[in-house]
Amino acid sequence: MLSLSNVHKRFRGVHATNGISFEVRSGEIVGLLGPNGAGKTTTLRCVCGILRHDEGSIHIDGLDVVTQEVEAKRLMAYIPEIPNPYEVLTVREHIKFVAMCYGTVDTFNARIDELLSRFELKEKEHELVATLSKGMKQKLAIACAFVHDARVFLCDEPMIGLDPQGQHELQSELLRLRSEGCAILVSTHLLDTAEKLCDRVVIMQKGRKLSEGTLKELQAHARMDNSSLMDVFLHLTREAEA
Amino acid sequence: MKPFWVLNAWILKNSLRRGLRNPLRGILVVVVLMFLLGYLVGVPLATIFGSSDQPAPPLPAAGIRGFLFILILFHVALLSLPASAMIGKNAVVRESDVNFLFPSPIPRVQLFRTIILFRATISSIVSFMAVIFYSLLFGTKYVRAIPEFSLVLPPWFSVLYPVTFFCAAFGLAFAGTVTGANIVRGKWSKRPFIHGTTGLAAISLVLLVHHGLESLQSGESFFGGILAGLNHPVLYVILFPLRSMAEIALIAFMGWTPSVVGGLIFWPLFLALSYFVLVKNQEWLYDLGVHIAQRRTAAREQLGNPAEVIKRWVQKGVAKGSFRPRQVWLAEHWTPQGVWALLWRNHLIYWRLNRSTIMILDVIVLLSLFVLWYVHSVLGIEIQERLIVGILIGVQAIFVALTLGNGFITSMDIVKRMDMQKPFPFSPRLVIFVEVLHLVGIYALSTLLLVAATLLTFPDFAQVLTIAYLVGVSCLFPASLSILFLLFINPDMSDPVQRIIVGLLQLPVIALSVMPGLIPAALGVLLKLPLFVSGLSAIVANIVWTFILIELISRKYRHFNPAE
């Protein structure tokens, strides 16, 4: 569903992503892990079209994100790390606006009440976004990702700022999407969550892919049977650093 | 205090290096530097060594007193800067100073003295240079006339001016710091200072205008009356600090006047006294520092992030109950899909934030047109064409300024919300076009009412007005796009170099962007072509130029990195 092949992105000669390749298949949640500055956000931004990669290719359901940009974007939903919603729109108007952008107002009409309830935005639907707390803005950004029928979900640190209820709701939602055959790529620093939620993880460091696989495969790679994802992650990144 | 000097040197070095690393921004940095150097070195040289075969410029009618008046006005601006060293976005203490310098073992007075000496001096010098720069740029003729006045003292006496100026600037900065510290600790109230300054300014204005009008009544010039009014005893006392600075600047021509002597005594004493009081109040300096650093951060955030301004403004309005998410009729009844949704969003936001401003402006214009029509048609008094054209040009200028100001905010908003907007399934060309269409649409619709009303009231102007309207609308496309282009290259308003580039180049870039449209119009006028042909060629040129700019800017948009 989502494939990256030898993706390079340089900023003034510095490799933010250096030949990254991996796939996220339908019905799969893949975690993108790495220390700060590893290139996770750059990778996600290249996939969703915010940044243009310098080399390599990215395909969404066979569509090239450079040459078939608009068609590919229709299949994607992106949840940014720091959402910057439009403060002067109300919560309901904001979600409607995103639906209008994707040409899915009918979907919006059918889903809006359920979405508002699910993300605890019902009471705030006619309030201006400016009055929402940081966590509520995050919930709004997540709700906006569900107003069109995306097949690939890109989530950049989606749990940050969410209360436990919100985190639980989002995890349930991602699991539901997986069961419906969506491909989900989640960048996160929360390794416990990644261990529970993700089918596979990709570990990045300094723009390169260090390792990829299920927890068992990573344990085998690190020769650390029965260790937690945290221990494996620390071992692999320290080893690469050394 | 070495770390402080090193810190500031690094900030400037890194900002310049960052500016030069990006090829396009690097070109702009070089352009700005050449522009400044060219004028700061070239214009004075041209002024001094201007071609000798040119006749000497005539002396200004107002003589040296005219210069004195202008210099007094200059000093209002120049000296208010150090005095407000602890206020708003220009405040000299920063959050990083609070977090890193305040906890260091540097003594408070030494720290504050260095901060003020460095940052207030820099801003005073920049302002000082700006005044000289603009004086030379726009008033070369008059500056060249200065040597025509007879010298009373040798020219080297003029060196007293910069010395006194910096005594005044530092004295005011120290006094402003002490005042701020006492206001923050609740010992003094801000109100008497505001009322006192406003009151003195009002008294001065009233007295000056009174003298000007008296002069008019006796058949002499208004400005001559104002100059004579400077010697009124009350005005002399109120304006003494400013007047003394102005007369010291002209000491070579004015000699040892009472103001010069008084100023040379007053300002060094003022500096010594304000420093003494600063030392006495040192225990409150960090309280003041924390307070003004927070205010500065808020002001800076607003400068570089309109979204933040809107957010704070709305939050304040909601808390007070004065801002409600009122419904907008068109947004309720129109549900466009795809890229036009951006227009829907912009329309909704714009009307929620600016509806009253636009309506007030339109009402003022319509009222003035009604008065003109009443005077002309009912009372039968002949209205001069110049008056109507003047009103229209004035109002159009306000609308254009509002539109371009809004263009700046919209452009900053696009830059700040790139993460939100860029994943939408639209081509960059369409996004840029729709964003600019919104800006131009506001102008076109707002002024349409005005144009229609003028056409109905004064049908003789129909052709000129319609063509001018259409040319104006078409010019706004490249003008708005040029702002977007400048901000895509310089998106970070917290970077000093980028801020200077945007501040200095904004107007020249807008002016350049409308040239391709205005050149055919100007040629048409020169060749005495029919107005229709000139106007149409300008509109066509603007349309073509707009598409070229959209293509260029959409490429920048496509490769724009929000982390920049």
Side-chain angles (χ1 to χ4, degrees):
Chain A
M1 182 61 84
L2 163 65
S3 71
L4 289 87
S5 174
N6 194 29
V7 172
H8 290 258
K9 177 68 190 172
R10 294 178 204 89
F11 296 117
R12 297 185 198 102
V14 178
H15 263 99
T17 60
N18 193 351
I20 292 288
S21 302
F22 63 87
E23 282 189 3
V24 185
R25 295 182 280 271
S26 295
E28 189 180 39
I29 301 178
V30 172
L32 197 55
L33 314 180
N36 292 331
K40 305 185 294 292
T41 297
T42 302
T43 306
L44 283 172
R45 282 178 165 173
C46 285
V47 174
C48 71
I50 293 174
L51 292 176
R52 179 72 46 106
H53 50 280
D54 301 317
E55 283 174 47
S57 64
I58 301 172
H59 287 88
I60 306 281
D61 203 13
L63 299 167
D64 188 303
V65 297
V66 175
T67 56
Q68 293 159 296
E69 185 182 3
V70 174
E71 294 80 359
K73 279 180 173 176
R74 284 191 195 286
L75 297 176
M76 283 188 276
Y78 174 60
I79 301 171
E81 183 181 3
I82 304 166
N84 256 324
Y86 297 94
E87 282 84 5
V88 189
L89 301 187
T90 64
V91 168
R92 193 184 180 92
E93 284 168 352
H94 200 289
I95 301 173
K96 183 181 175 183
F97 161 65
V98 175
M100 284 157 67
C101 285
Y102 285 93
T104 54
V105 177
D106 292 341
T107 315
F108 162 82
N109 289 331
R111 286 185 195 164
I112 182 64
D113 288 325
E114 183 220 335
L115 271 177
L116 289 169
S117 305
R118 202 191 307 157
F119 292 104
E120 295 171 313
L121 292 163
K122 188 71 188 165
E123 284 177 20
K124 302 272 184 188
E125 68 175 313
H126 297 299
E127 303 272 327
L128 290 170
V129 171
T131 61
L132 298 184
S133 66
K134 193 181 164 195
M136 294 301 275
K137 280 184 188 166
Q138 187 69 17
K139 287 180 181 177
L140 170 65
I142 295 166
C144 287
F146 292 98
V147 287
H148 70 288
D149 293 314
R151 303 301 297 154
V152 175
F153 285 78
L154 308 162
C155 314
D156 194 359
E157 299 286 358
M159 307 290 179
I160 301 293
L162 288 183
D163 54 22
Q165 179 68 29
Q167 290 188 19
H168 174 75
E169 203 55 57
L170 179 61
Q171 286 181 33
S172 313
E173 199 56 36
L174 293 178
L175 291 171
R176 184 184 66 79
L177 291 168
R178 178 176 71 176
S179 69
E180 287 177 4
C182 294
I184 301 153
L185 180 61
V186 185
S187 149
T188 183
H189 283 300
L190 305 174
L191 299 188
D192 289 349
T193 309
E195 192 170 339
K196 273 187 260 169
L197 189 68
C198 301
D199 302 302
R200 285 187 300 124
V201 294
V202 173
I203 300 177
M204 290 180 69
Q205 190 170 30
K206 291 184 177 169
R208 291 179 184 278
K209 186 174 82 176
L210 277 189
S211 191
E212 180 188 356
T214 61
L215 178 58
K216 283 225 172 302
E217 286 166 345
L218 293 179
Q219 285 167 341
H221 179 195
R223 289 182 222 94
M224 295 174 73
D225 289 346
N226 299 322
S227 300
S228 66
L229 180 59
M230 171 74 88
D231 293 331
V232 173
F233 173 83
L234 289 174
H235 174 81
L236 288 172
T237 49
R238 279 176 191 157
E239 194 180 59
E241 192 68 44
Chain B
M1 284 312 297
K2 194 180 164 195
F4 181 80
W5 302 106
V6 172
L7 168 77
N8 284 289
W10 282 349
I11 289 174
L12 194 64
K13 181 196 77 180
N14 291 341
S15 180
L16 258 176
R17 188 187 282 174
R18 187 183 175 198
L20 292 168
R21 236 184 241 162
N22 178 313
L24 261 176
R25 199 184 300 142
I27 292 170
L28 294 183
V29 171
V30 174
V31 167
V32 166
L33 286 176
M34 284 174 63
F35 182 72
L36 286 175
L37 273 177
Y39 270 105
L40 285 175
V41 178
V43 175
L45 286 179
T47 307
I48 296 162
F49 303 109
S51 57
S52 55
D53 53 345
Q54 276 186 4
L59 284 174
I64 199 78
R65 287 156 71 85
F67 278 103
L68 182 68
F69 181 71
I70 292 165
L71 279 173
I72 288 174
L73 291 182
F74 274 165
H75 282 92
V76 174
L78 278 179
L79 294 178
S80 61
L81 201 76
S84 62
M86 298 293 157
I87 301 169
K89 63 179 188 298
N90 294 319
V92 295
V93 183
R94 298 164 187 174
E95 289 272 20
S96 42
D97 298 334
V98 173
N99 295 335
F100 299 103
L101 284 176
F102 284 17
S104 73
I106 302 168
R108 294 163 184 238
V109 173
Q110 194 187 344
L111 179 66
F112 260 73
R113 191 181 57 208
T114 316
I115 287 176
I116 289 171
L117 285 180
F118 181 75
R119 295 200 185 128
T121 307
I122 293 282
S123 63
S124 293
I125 289 175
V126 168
S127 310
F128 193 66
M129 299 296 271
V131 169
I132 293 175
F133 170 64
Y134 282 109
S135 312
L136 294 173
L137 189 60
F138 298 113
T140 311
K141 193 174 90 175
Y142 296 106
V143 173
R144 283 189 65 203
I146 289 178
E148 300 298 315
F149 294 117
S150 53
L151 285 170
V152 178
L153 290 172
W156 62 263
F157 268 89
S158 300
V159 82
L160 286 171
Y161 174 67
V163 175
T164 322
F165 177 80
F166 284 109
C167 281
F170 296 143
L172 284 167
F174 292 150
T177 306
V178 171
T179 312
N182 281 295
I183 290 171
V184 166
R185 66 190 272 210
K187 199 177 169 190
W188 295 352
S189 167
K190 204 191 286 178
R191 206 167 285 171
F193 290 97
I194 296 171
H195 288 179
T197 317
T198 318
L200 289 176
I203 292 169
S204 308
L205 192 68
V206 168
L207 280 173
L208 284 173
V209 172
H210 172 72
H211 275 88
L213 290 176
E214 260 188 357
S215 175
L216 264 184
Q217 277 174 341
S218 57
E220 290 165 29
S221 80
F222 182 78
F223 190 56
I226 283 183
L227 294 182
L230 286 177
N231 287 333
H232 186 281
V234 176
L235 272 177
Y236 192 91
V237 173
I238 294 175
L239 297 178
F240 171 75
L242 299 167
R243 183 176 178 146
S244 63
M245 289 301 307
E247 289 200 15
I248 292 169
L250 295 171
I251 188 170
F253 307 104
M254 298 196 74
W256 296 104
T257 63
S259 297
V260 168
V261 177
L264 289 174
I265 297 167
F266 173 78
W267 284 114
L269 269 180
F270 179 74
L271 172 64
L273 185 69
S274 57
Y275 184 66
F276 174 73
V277 182
L278 182 83
V279 175
K280 292 279 279 181
N281 282 272
Q282 58 175 295
E283 61 186 303
W284 298 103
L285 291 180
Y286 281 5
D287 290 48
L288 170 72
V290 171
H291 177 76
I292 58 177
Q294 281 169 352
R295 291 190 57 176
R296 181 186 187 275
T297 305
R300 289 274 163 181
E301 271 175 8
Q302 292 186 355
L303 185 77
N305 188 353
E308 194 61 32
V309 186
I310 293 166
K311 192 175 92 184
R312 280 167 197 262
W313 184 69
V314 170
Q315 280 173 339
K316 215 184 271 180
V318 169
K320 276 198 266 172
S322 59
F323 190 92
R324 286 191 187 84
R326 70 187 151 195
Q327 298 307 315
V328 177
W329 185 86
L330 188 61
E332 285 283 296
H333 293 85
W334 179 48
T335 310
Q337 309 245 0
V339 75
W340 302 108
L342 301 181
L343 210 55
W344 178 89
R345 175 205 64 196
N346 289 347
H347 167 73
L348 193 56
I349 292 173
Y350 187 81
W351 276 89
R352 282 206 175 130
L353 293 175
N354 302 297
R355 179 164 60 175
S356 43
T357 316
I358 293 294
M359 286 177 82
I360 289 168
L361 264 173
D362 274 334
V363 167
I364 290 171
V365 169
L366 291 178
L367 272 177
S368 33
L369 282 175
F370 174 75
V371 171
L372 284 176
W373 168 80
Y374 186 79
V375 169
H376 179 61
S377 305
V378 180
L379 301 180
I381 298 169
E382 199 177 327
I383 299 283
Q384 288 184 339
E385 283 180 11
R386 281 194 306 179
L387 187 61
I388 298 167
V389 173
I391 289 177
L392 287 176
I393 288 175
V395 174
Q396 297 278 4
I398 294 171
F399 275 111
V400 167
L402 279 177
T403 307
L404 292 178
N406 191 39
F408 187 81
I409 293 174
T410 306
S411 305
M412 281 304 299
D413 211 43
I414 295 171
V415 170
K416 292 281 170 194
R417 295 189 208 270
M418 212 54 107
D419 262 2
M420 179 85 202
Q421 180 154 306
K422 236 176 157 183
F424 290 147
F426 315 132
S427 79
R429 274 188 217 103
L430 270 177
V431 171
I432 301 295
F433 174 70
V434 172
E435 294 284 8
V436 174
L437 185 67
H438 155 73
L439 289 169
V440 181
I442 292 166
Y443 170 82
L445 290 173
S446 313
T447 48
L448 189 62
L449 185 65
L450 164 70
V451 171
T454 318
L455 284 178
L456 288 173
T457 323
F458 302 98
D460 296 349
F461 293 99
Q463 196 194 14
V464 178
L465 209 57
T466 312
I467 290 172
Y469 172 70
L470 293 174
V471 171
V473 169
S474 69
C475 276
L476 264 183
F477 276 101
S480 308
L481 283 165
S482 69
I483 299 175
L484 193 56
F485 187 65
L486 196 59
L487 283 174
F488 273 2
I489 301 170
N490 303 284
D492 185 1
M493 288 299 103
S494 64
D495 182 306
V497 167
Q498 293 189 40
R499 212 167 50 239
I500 290 171
I501 292 175
V502 172
L504 272 177
L505 293 188
Q506 207 172 334
L507 284 178
V509 164
I510 291 172
L512 276 176
S513 72
V514 296
M515 281 302 162
L518 291 183
I519 288 171
L523 277 176
V525 173
L526 275 177
L527 299 172
K528 295 186 179 165
L529 296 174
L531 190 62
F532 170 74
V533 177
S534 306
L536 191 67
S537 57
I539 293 167
V540 170
N542 274 328
I543 291 172
V544 173
W545 179 225
T546 297
F547 279 104
I548 293 170
L549 282 176
I550 287 178
E551 182 59 36
L552 286 173
I553 295 169
S554 62
R555 284 184 195 177
K556 283 297 295 174
Y557 178 83
R558 188 175 284 131
H559 294 280
F560 186 85
N561 176 15
E564 273 274 310

